Amino acid sequence: MKKEYVSSSVFKKFVMGATGLALLGFVITHLLGNLLLYKKDGTAFNDYANKLASLGGLLYAAEIGLLAFFLYHAFTGIRLALMAKEAKPIKYAVKKSKGGESKWGLASNNMIISGSALLLFVVLHVLHFKFGPGINEGYVTALSDGTEVRDLQRHVVEQFKNPLMVVLYVVAMLGLGLHLKHGIWSAFHSLGLTRENNSKTIYCAGGALAAILAVGFLLIPIYLYFFY
Amino acid sequence: MSAKKMTVHLKVWRQKNKNDAGHFEDYTVQDISDDMSFLEMLDRLNVNLQKAGKLEVEFESDCREGICGTCSCVINGQPHGPVTGAATCQLYMRQFKDGDTIVIEPWRAKAFPVIRDLVVDRSGLDRIITVGGYTGAKTGPHADANSILVPKENAEKAMDYAACIGCGACVAACPNGSASLFTSAKISHMSLLPQGHPLRQSRVTRMVNQMDKEGFGHCTNIGECQSACPKEIKIDSIAIMRREFFNAAIRS
Ligand code: SF4
Ligand code: FES
């Protein structure tokens, strides 16, 4: 494709939308996996974690792909935010939305802030759980067939007995909700998939999905803290 | 019903030229009738300033009936003021209350440098049109009128997009100073009509690139432009522009 297309702002937004939707797909599967944490004995979750880990090369490939999408989305996002600041160097002394169908609001005006917070959170989160203590540190459990695997469930449960950790994760997931509230609709619009007759539906469905995902995730630490 | 009289306090952006830092100046205008238009109120202010031997506030207007796109003020943080589907010249003082303070600022965007006070240079929009906002000319004998058939629905939609008066309120309203609504309105208008088809791909490519080159920002799909647009052009046109652009990119 010629440079005049690839270098344009419309193309950059296309990339943002496409990588954003791919990351959304990951977030959905992540939540579905996490739901296994509600099973108290831990076998189901550990079994699932172990199955993923035993995919070996395939998992690495998926992880590298995911990392690439994530980094591309983050860096293009930062670049676009800087470009936007440059295009509007002076803000109004008074600014008020004209209402109507405008999506002007906390979520849409702060995508770079919620995005940066998520970037930071993801780094911490991966260090915290993926690279957290494993078999060598004594977190071992036996599956129903007797194989010894990493007891990730125990680590997760222990971590969320710390109220600070619960607060951190709940706040992060509210950030995710905000980012997706505008992000899902925005991705569809950037990809040119919206039309006069479907754009309201896409916006509402995107908002609903964002709320479901955020609440789905943030209930887990709360549940583990109070009821486990 | 006799018109009510009112007094309004103004905070107006004053800036000598492009390089001046600019500042707000406070004014009070008395004896304003609520049947007066907003621009007539500014005319009154300027008469007062003239009488006092001071420099008038520069602002733009021409038709004063919402069809030329010349008027351009951000009033209390809203491009074209609080009324939707109307330009500044269609705003009446009855929208305000006696004793109100009204903050008046120019369109703000890097691509719209201030020339003086409330007047900004909007020639960037003209240059976007110049590179592609036209149809090819026919040579040879003149064709019969209505020889090209256009489905009614397309004709109406195209007309909605053609309603853009090029005022730049969309750029002013956008937190990113994007001209996407303006540019996409023209692209959508022409992509819906058979006359626009021969130049379809080069048009979208050149107009989108010119938009970036002029220093307008990218679109973050907020849609504040749609609410500020005096002609109520919908942001669906921005999705059309993107589809046209990807289509051109794939075929290139
Ligand atoms: S799209 Fe609307 S707001 Fe933008 S220039 Fe045209 S008429 Fe003005
Ligand atoms: S002066 Fe012509 S549109 Fe306002």
PDB file of all heavy atoms in Angstrom, chain A residues 16 74-88 111-113 116, chain B residues 175-176 218 220:
ATOM      1  N   MET A  16      -5.758   1.486  15.166  1.00  0.00           N
ATOM      2  CA  MET A  16      -6.222   1.556  16.558  1.00  0.00           C
ATOM      3  C   MET A  16      -7.475   0.701  16.742  1.00  0.00           C
ATOM      4  O   MET A  16      -7.609  -0.045  17.713  1.00  0.00           O
ATOM      5  CB  MET A  16      -6.567   2.991  16.958  1.00  0.00           C
ATOM      6  CG  MET A  16      -5.404   3.867  17.309  1.00  0.00           C
ATOM      7  SD  MET A  16      -4.339   3.146  18.532  1.00  0.00           S
ATOM      8  CE  MET A  16      -5.123   3.693  20.031  1.00  0.00           C
ATOM      9  N   ALA A  74      -0.929   0.669  22.107  1.00  0.00           N
ATOM     10  CA  ALA A  74      -0.491   1.645  23.105  1.00  0.00           C
ATOM     11  C   ALA A  74       0.329   2.758  22.445  1.00  0.00           C
ATOM     12  O   ALA A  74       0.075   3.947  22.677  1.00  0.00           O
ATOM     13  CB  ALA A  74       0.318   0.957  24.196  1.00  0.00           C
ATOM     14  N   PHE A  75       1.301   2.380  21.608  1.00  0.00           N
ATOM     15  CA  PHE A  75       2.177   3.416  21.048  1.00  0.00           C
ATOM     16  C   PHE A  75       1.464   4.282  20.017  1.00  0.00           C
ATOM     17  O   PHE A  75       1.652   5.498  19.987  1.00  0.00           O
ATOM     18  CB  PHE A  75       3.467   2.803  20.507  1.00  0.00           C
ATOM     19  CG  PHE A  75       4.380   2.423  21.636  1.00  0.00           C
ATOM     20  CD1 PHE A  75       4.676   1.101  21.909  1.00  0.00           C
ATOM     21  CD2 PHE A  75       4.893   3.392  22.489  1.00  0.00           C
ATOM     22  CE1 PHE A  75       5.472   0.745  22.986  1.00  0.00           C
ATOM     23  CE2 PHE A  75       5.701   3.057  23.568  1.00  0.00           C
ATOM     24  CZ  PHE A  75       5.985   1.727  23.814  1.00  0.00           C
ATOM     25  N   THR A  76       0.617   3.663  19.194  1.00  0.00           N
ATOM     26  CA  THR A  76      -0.156   4.489  18.254  1.00  0.00           C
ATOM     27  C   THR A  76      -1.072   5.423  19.022  1.00  0.00           C
ATOM     28  O   THR A  76      -1.235   6.589  18.659  1.00  0.00           O
ATOM     29  CB  THR A  76      -0.978   3.603  17.290  1.00  0.00           C
ATOM     30  OG1 THR A  76      -0.135   2.590  16.777  1.00  0.00           O
ATOM     31  CG2 THR A  76      -1.544   4.402  16.137  1.00  0.00           C
ATOM     32  N   GLY A  77      -1.635   4.922  20.113  1.00  0.00           N
ATOM     33  CA  GLY A  77      -2.526   5.742  20.947  1.00  0.00           C
ATOM     34  C   GLY A  77      -1.790   6.950  21.512  1.00  0.00           C
ATOM     35  O   GLY A  77      -2.314   8.073  21.485  1.00  0.00           O
ATOM     36  N   ILE A  78      -0.579   6.715  22.001  1.00  0.00           N
ATOM     37  CA  ILE A  78       0.196   7.830  22.574  1.00  0.00           C
ATOM     38  C   ILE A  78       0.539   8.839  21.476  1.00  0.00           C
ATOM     39  O   ILE A  78       0.402  10.049  21.653  1.00  0.00           O
ATOM     40  CB  ILE A  78       1.467   7.291  23.271  1.00  0.00           C
ATOM     41  CG1 ILE A  78       1.049   6.485  24.511  1.00  0.00           C
ATOM     42  CG2 ILE A  78       2.400   8.437  23.653  1.00  0.00           C
ATOM     43  CD1 ILE A  78       2.168   5.697  25.147  1.00  0.00           C
ATOM     44  N   ARG A  79       0.935   8.327  20.324  1.00  0.00           N
ATOM     45  CA  ARG A  79       1.275   9.228  19.206  1.00  0.00           C
ATOM     46  C   ARG A  79       0.080  10.067  18.797  1.00  0.00           C
ATOM     47  O   ARG A  79       0.183  11.273  18.571  1.00  0.00           O
ATOM     48  CB  ARG A  79       1.715   8.389  17.997  1.00  0.00           C
ATOM     49  CG  ARG A  79       3.219   8.448  17.797  1.00  0.00           C
ATOM     50  CD  ARG A  79       3.602   7.706  16.547  1.00  0.00           C
ATOM     51  NE  ARG A  79       3.522   8.540  15.345  1.00  0.00           N
ATOM     52  CZ  ARG A  79       3.606   8.041  14.126  1.00  0.00           C
ATOM     53  NH1 ARG A  79       3.762   6.743  13.945  1.00  0.00           N
ATOM     54  NH2 ARG A  79       3.545   8.836  13.082  1.00  0.00           N
ATOM     55  N   LEU A  80      -1.080   9.410  18.691  1.00  0.00           N
ATOM     56  CA  LEU A  80      -2.289  10.133  18.278  1.00  0.00           C
ATOM     57  C   LEU A  80      -2.674  11.185  19.312  1.00  0.00           C
ATOM     58  O   LEU A  80      -3.093  12.285  18.961  1.00  0.00           O
ATOM     59  CB  LEU A  80      -3.444   9.146  18.059  1.00  0.00           C
ATOM     60  CG  LEU A  80      -3.388   8.350  16.757  1.00  0.00           C
ATOM     61  CD1 LEU A  80      -4.385   7.195  16.797  1.00  0.00           C
ATOM     62  CD2 LEU A  80      -3.682   9.229  15.551  1.00  0.00           C
ATOM     63  N   ALA A  81      -2.494  10.845  20.597  1.00  0.00           N
ATOM     64  CA  ALA A  81      -2.849  11.812  21.643  1.00  0.00           C
ATOM     65  C   ALA A  81      -1.948  13.044  21.546  1.00  0.00           C
ATOM     66  O   ALA A  81      -2.410  14.178  21.712  1.00  0.00           O
ATOM     67  CB  ALA A  81      -2.729  11.164  23.013  1.00  0.00           C
ATOM     68  N   LEU A  82      -0.673  12.821  21.250  1.00  0.00           N
ATOM     69  CA  LEU A  82       0.247  13.953  21.105  1.00  0.00           C
ATOM     70  C   LEU A  82      -0.130  14.790  19.881  1.00  0.00           C
ATOM     71  O   LEU A  82      -0.111  16.022  19.916  1.00  0.00           O
ATOM     72  CB  LEU A  82       1.700  13.460  20.976  1.00  0.00           C
ATOM     73  CG  LEU A  82       2.261  12.805  22.244  1.00  0.00           C
ATOM     74  CD1 LEU A  82       3.658  12.240  21.987  1.00  0.00           C
ATOM     75  CD2 LEU A  82       2.301  13.800  23.398  1.00  0.00           C
ATOM     76  N   MET A  83      -0.511  14.104  18.796  1.00  0.00           N
ATOM     77  CA  MET A  83      -0.927  14.820  17.584  1.00  0.00           C
ATOM     78  C   MET A  83      -2.163  15.679  17.854  1.00  0.00           C
ATOM     79  O   MET A  83      -2.284  16.805  17.376  1.00  0.00           O
ATOM     80  CB  MET A  83      -1.247  13.823  16.458  1.00  0.00           C
ATOM     81  CG  MET A  83      -0.033  13.313  15.714  1.00  0.00           C
ATOM     82  SD  MET A  83      -0.439  11.852  14.717  1.00  0.00           S
ATOM     83  CE  MET A  83      -1.734  12.482  13.661  1.00  0.00           C
ATOM     84  N   ALA A  84      -3.091  15.115  18.635  1.00  0.00           N
ATOM     85  CA  ALA A  84      -4.328  15.844  18.922  1.00  0.00           C
ATOM     86  C   ALA A  84      -4.039  17.095  19.741  1.00  0.00           C
ATOM     87  O   ALA A  84      -4.627  18.155  19.526  1.00  0.00           O
ATOM     88  CB  ALA A  84      -5.300  14.939  19.685  1.00  0.00           C
ATOM     89  N   LYS A  85      -3.111  16.965  20.665  1.00  0.00           N
ATOM     90  CA  LYS A  85      -2.745  18.103  21.505  1.00  0.00           C
ATOM     91  C   LYS A  85      -2.135  19.204  20.637  1.00  0.00           C
ATOM     92  O   LYS A  85      -2.406  20.396  20.844  1.00  0.00           O
ATOM     93  CB  LYS A  85      -1.725  17.632  22.537  1.00  0.00           C
ATOM     94  CG  LYS A  85      -1.883  18.322  23.886  1.00  0.00           C
ATOM     95  CD  LYS A  85      -0.915  17.739  24.880  1.00  0.00           C
ATOM     96  CE  LYS A  85      -0.331  18.808  25.767  1.00  0.00           C
ATOM     97  NZ  LYS A  85      -1.122  19.488  26.674  1.00  0.00           N
ATOM     98  N   GLU A  86      -1.358  18.771  19.663  1.00  0.00           N
ATOM     99  CA  GLU A  86      -0.712  19.738  18.776  1.00  0.00           C
ATOM    100  C   GLU A  86      -1.739  20.458  17.905  1.00  0.00           C
ATOM    101  O   GLU A  86      -1.593  21.646  17.618  1.00  0.00           O
ATOM    102  CB  GLU A  86       0.286  18.973  17.902  1.00  0.00           C
ATOM    103  CG  GLU A  86       1.410  19.835  17.386  1.00  0.00           C
ATOM    104  CD  GLU A  86       2.220  19.078  16.345  1.00  0.00           C
ATOM    105  OE1 GLU A  86       2.638  17.947  16.645  1.00  0.00           O
ATOM    106  OE2 GLU A  86       2.401  19.620  15.239  1.00  0.00           O
ATOM    107  N   ALA A  87      -2.786  19.730  17.509  1.00  0.00           N
ATOM    108  CA  ALA A  87      -3.790  20.326  16.618  1.00  0.00           C
ATOM    109  C   ALA A  87      -4.727  21.278  17.361  1.00  0.00           C
ATOM    110  O   ALA A  87      -5.450  22.054  16.750  1.00  0.00           O
ATOM    111  CB  ALA A  87      -4.594  19.228  15.933  1.00  0.00           C
ATOM    112  N   LYS A  88      -4.738  21.187  18.688  1.00  0.00           N
ATOM    113  CA  LYS A  88      -5.606  22.061  19.486  1.00  0.00           C
ATOM    114  C   LYS A  88      -4.764  22.644  20.609  1.00  0.00           C
ATOM    115  O   LYS A  88      -4.947  22.286  21.780  1.00  0.00           O
ATOM    116  CB  LYS A  88      -6.769  21.234  20.058  1.00  0.00           C
ATOM    117  CG  LYS A  88      -7.918  22.079  20.570  1.00  0.00           C
ATOM    118  CD  LYS A  88      -8.981  22.195  19.533  1.00  0.00           C
ATOM    119  CE  LYS A  88     -10.200  22.920  20.007  1.00  0.00           C
ATOM    120  NZ  LYS A  88     -11.212  23.059  18.959  1.00  0.00           N
ATOM    121  N   MET A 111      -9.472   9.077  26.943  1.00  0.00           N
ATOM    122  CA  MET A 111      -9.007   7.776  26.459  1.00  0.00           C
ATOM    123  C   MET A 111      -7.512   7.597  26.713  1.00  0.00           C
ATOM    124  O   MET A 111      -7.061   6.505  27.048  1.00  0.00           O
ATOM    125  CB  MET A 111      -9.312   7.615  24.967  1.00  0.00           C
ATOM    126  CG  MET A 111     -10.778   7.470  24.657  1.00  0.00           C
ATOM    127  SD  MET A 111     -11.528   6.027  25.424  1.00  0.00           S
ATOM    128  CE  MET A 111     -11.106   4.739  24.245  1.00  0.00           C
ATOM    129  N   ILE A 112      -6.736   8.664  26.584  1.00  0.00           N
ATOM    130  CA  ILE A 112      -5.291   8.537  26.783  1.00  0.00           C
ATOM    131  C   ILE A 112      -4.977   8.291  28.261  1.00  0.00           C
ATOM    132  O   ILE A 112      -4.047   7.543  28.584  1.00  0.00           O
ATOM    133  CB  ILE A 112      -4.527   9.757  26.208  1.00  0.00           C
ATOM    134  CG1 ILE A 112      -3.010   9.567  26.342  1.00  0.00           C
ATOM    135  CG2 ILE A 112      -4.936  11.071  26.858  1.00  0.00           C
ATOM    136  CD1 ILE A 112      -2.439   8.428  25.563  1.00  0.00           C
ATOM    137  N   ILE A 113      -5.784   8.860  29.149  1.00  0.00           N
ATOM    138  CA  ILE A 113      -5.525   8.663  30.577  1.00  0.00           C
ATOM    139  C   ILE A 113      -5.932   7.254  31.003  1.00  0.00           C
ATOM    140  O   ILE A 113      -5.154   6.524  31.626  1.00  0.00           O
ATOM    141  CB  ILE A 113      -6.264   9.741  31.410  1.00  0.00           C
ATOM    142  CG1 ILE A 113      -5.650  11.107  31.070  1.00  0.00           C
ATOM    143  CG2 ILE A 113      -6.165   9.449  32.905  1.00  0.00           C
ATOM    144  CD1 ILE A 113      -6.300  12.267  31.742  1.00  0.00           C
ATOM    145  N   SER A 116      -3.394   4.880  29.403  1.00  0.00           N
ATOM    146  CA  SER A 116      -2.079   4.840  30.058  1.00  0.00           C
ATOM    147  C   SER A 116      -2.162   4.085  31.375  1.00  0.00           C
ATOM    148  O   SER A 116      -1.254   3.321  31.726  1.00  0.00           O
ATOM    149  CB  SER A 116      -1.565   6.251  30.342  1.00  0.00           C
ATOM    150  OG  SER A 116      -1.633   7.022  29.181  1.00  0.00           O
TER     151      SER A 116
ATOM    152  N   PRO B 175     -12.363  18.382  20.232  1.00  0.00           N
ATOM    153  CA  PRO B 175     -11.232  18.516  21.148  1.00  0.00           C
ATOM    154  C   PRO B 175      -9.892  18.299  20.455  1.00  0.00           C
ATOM    155  O   PRO B 175      -8.854  18.656  21.000  1.00  0.00           O
ATOM    156  CB  PRO B 175     -11.487  17.438  22.206  1.00  0.00           C
ATOM    157  CG  PRO B 175     -12.442  16.493  21.579  1.00  0.00           C
ATOM    158  CD  PRO B 175     -13.257  17.277  20.599  1.00  0.00           C
ATOM    159  N   ASN B 176      -9.915  17.714  19.263  1.00  0.00           N
ATOM    160  CA  ASN B 176      -8.679  17.465  18.526  1.00  0.00           C
ATOM    161  C   ASN B 176      -8.520  18.399  17.334  1.00  0.00           C
ATOM    162  O   ASN B 176      -7.664  18.190  16.492  1.00  0.00           O
ATOM    163  CB  ASN B 176      -8.633  16.029  18.009  1.00  0.00           C
ATOM    164  CG  ASN B 176      -9.116  15.051  19.044  1.00  0.00           C
ATOM    165  OD1 ASN B 176      -8.686  15.112  20.185  1.00  0.00           O
ATOM    166  ND2 ASN B 176     -10.035  14.181  18.667  1.00  0.00           N
ATOM    167  N   HIS B 218      -6.897  14.394  14.159  1.00  0.00           N
ATOM    168  CA  HIS B 218      -7.632  13.201  13.743  1.00  0.00           C
ATOM    169  C   HIS B 218      -8.935  13.119  14.543  1.00  0.00           C
ATOM    170  O   HIS B 218      -9.110  13.817  15.528  1.00  0.00           O
ATOM    171  CB  HIS B 218      -6.780  11.960  13.991  1.00  0.00           C
ATOM    172  CG  HIS B 218      -6.440  11.783  15.436  1.00  0.00           C
ATOM    173  ND1 HIS B 218      -5.407  12.463  16.023  1.00  0.00           N
ATOM    174  CD2 HIS B 218      -7.022  11.060  16.411  1.00  0.00           C
ATOM    175  CE1 HIS B 218      -5.364  12.150  17.301  1.00  0.00           C
ATOM    176  NE2 HIS B 218      -6.339  11.302  17.575  1.00  0.00           N
ATOM    177  N   THR B 220     -11.579  11.402  16.993  1.00  0.00           N
ATOM    178  CA  THR B 220     -11.694  10.386  18.045  1.00  0.00           C
ATOM    179  C   THR B 220     -13.151   9.984  18.288  1.00  0.00           C
ATOM    180  O   THR B 220     -13.493   9.482  19.351  1.00  0.00           O
ATOM    181  CB  THR B 220     -11.056  10.856  19.365  1.00  0.00           C
ATOM    182  OG1 THR B 220     -11.593  12.133  19.707  1.00  0.00           O
ATOM    183  CG2 THR B 220      -9.553  10.988  19.258  1.00  0.00           C
TER     184      THR B 220
END
